[in-house]
Amino acid sequence: QMHVCDPACGSGGFLIETLKLGKQNWKITGFEIDKRMAWVAQMNIIMHGGNIDAIRYLNDGGSLSCSPKVNNTIPKSGFDIIITNPPFGSDFSDKTSLPSYELGKGKTSRRRGVLFIERCIKWLKNGIGRLAILVDDSILNGKTNHDVREFIFRYCIIEAIISLPEVTFKPYAS
């Protein structure tokens, strides 16, 4: 059974597209930090033939939290595929969870998009997991993110990098 996850699922769009593939043996799981969006995702999943339990609301810091609740909810090395558009543009500064990240050690805050990369990689099944993630251009090109690129090269085999035009997310982001 393939296990597909979106750890920042929003309204559930990626998971709905996974359901549309019609793979009966695929299990989907979504996590959302916003209670209203988790409800929206649950309704969307149900309307597309999925199970309401596929979406979980994580009120304890969301997918980036390293709280016992989150760590017990999300299996380490448990997903075959992670496809996500994590929130980028905001910083994560949880003093309890940040030091748990290789990319967060010694820092007072780090961009959420950066930490999602590490979190997703660690949640994939060892050696066979696949990650499709949207990241800000600065992660791959910015001078201050050399550690992120080194982390990706150390843990991943990069199959493709696709650059999207600047207008892709307008008017929602600049």
Side-chain angles (χ1 to χ4, degrees):
Q1 180 179 31
M2 294 288 280
H3 198 167
V4 180
C5 176
D6 184 347
C9 70
S11 62
F14 286 145
L15 298 173
I16 289 166
E17 291 304 315
T18 301
L19 285 172
K20 287 180 181 179
L21 292 173
K23 306 285 188 183
Q24 300 303 322
N25 60 339
W26 285 23
K27 178 182 177 185
I28 62 165
T29 301
F31 301 106
E32 181 52 48
I33 192 171
D34 181 283
K35 189 174 190 172
R36 183 170 176 238
M37 287 309 295
W39 179 82
V40 168
Q42 286 174 330
M43 295 304 105
N44 278 337
I45 294 298
I46 289 170
M47 290 188 315
H48 288 87
N51 187 326
I52 192 169
D53 295 330
I55 307 297
R56 300 220 183 122
Y57 165 57
L58 295 177
N59 63 339
D60 194 15
S63 295
L64 292 179
S65 171
C66 294
S67 72
K69 176 187 173 190
V70 172
N71 286 340
N72 291 333
T73 301
I74 304 175
K76 187 176 178 183
S77 302
F79 299 110
D80 297 286
I81 299 170
I82 295 176
I83 182 167
T84 191
N85 179 16
F88 38 87
S90 63
D91 288 342
F92 183 77
S93 55
D94 182 306
K95 291 174 179 58
T96 307
S97 296
L98 195 59
S100 300
Y101 289 93
E102 185 177 324
L103 296 171
K105 283 186 176 39
K107 300 189 182 307
T108 56
S109 69
R110 194 76 200 244
R111 302 302 261 178
R112 288 181 188 275
V114 167
L115 297 176
F116 260 96
I117 291 170
E118 179 175 343
R119 195 70 150 153
C120 290
I121 290 169
K122 299 293 183 172
W123 285 338
L124 289 170
K125 287 185 178 175
N126 293 327
I128 61 168
R130 297 182 146 226
L131 173 62
I133 186 170
L134 285 130
V135 296
D136 189 291
D137 226 15
S138 67
I139 291 174
L140 300 178
N141 299 322
K143 292 179 182 178
T144 60
N145 289 317
H146 68 279
D147 61 331
V148 182
R149 292 185 294 276
E150 289 172 7
F151 181 89
I152 293 169
F153 286 128
R154 189 173 5 171
Y155 292 103
C156 301
I157 297 170
I158 299 171
E159 293 185 12
I161 295 174
I162 301 167
S163 182
L164 301 173
E166 286 184 28
V167 296
T168 303
F169 295 104
K170 286 190 177 182
Y172 306 104
S174 57

